[in-house]
Amino acid sequence: MTLEERVLDVLKNTFELDTVDNTCSQKTCEKWDSMGQLNLVVELETEFDVSLEPEEIGEMVAFDDVVRILKGKGVE
């Protein structure tokens, strides 16, 4: 499973979505609110064994941001 597929899986499970694709963002997903963001961070840190910094968390507003930040942490 690729990094992108794993991130989509985390988004789908975290936000309890039937389907998810790479257009998922805070603008397109109503469950991606401030509480959803916290849940997402916990799931990402667990799934990818990383620690996310506050500024990184603030930048995570869409699928592409999540992938970019994880890649920046050496996740493949």
Side-chain angles (χ1 to χ4, degrees), residues 31 55 68-69:
K31 291 187 179 178
E55 61 272 11
R68 176 180 49 79
I69 289 165

Side-chain angles (χ1 to χ4, degrees), residues 2 9-10 13 17-18 20 22 27-28 30-31 33 35 38 41 43 50 52-53 57 60-61 68 72 74:
T2 66
D9 211 38
V10 170
N13 294 332
L17 302 168
D18 293 328
V20 66
N22 62 1
K27 291 180 180 159
T28 62
E30 62 182 55
K31 291 187 179 178
D33 55 13
M35 195 66 209
L38 292 174
V41 167
E43 294 300 321
V50 294
L52 296 166
E53 301 299 323
I57 294 167
M60 287 186 176
V61 296
R68 176 180 49 79

Side-chain angles (χ1 to χ4, degrees), residues 9-45:
D9 211 38
V10 170
L11 290 169
K12 184 176 177 182
N13 294 332
T14 303
F15 301 130
E16 300 170 339
L17 302 168
D18 293 328
T19 59
V20 66
D21 61 28
N22 62 1
T23 63
C24 186
S25 71
Q26 288 180 343
K27 291 180 180 159
T28 62
C29 177
E30 62 182 55
K31 291 187 179 178
W32 194 338
D33 55 13
S34 55
M35 195 66 209
Q37 183 83 346
L38 292 174
N39 292 334
L40 177 61
V41 167
V42 169
E43 294 300 321
L44 290 169
E45 288 183 333

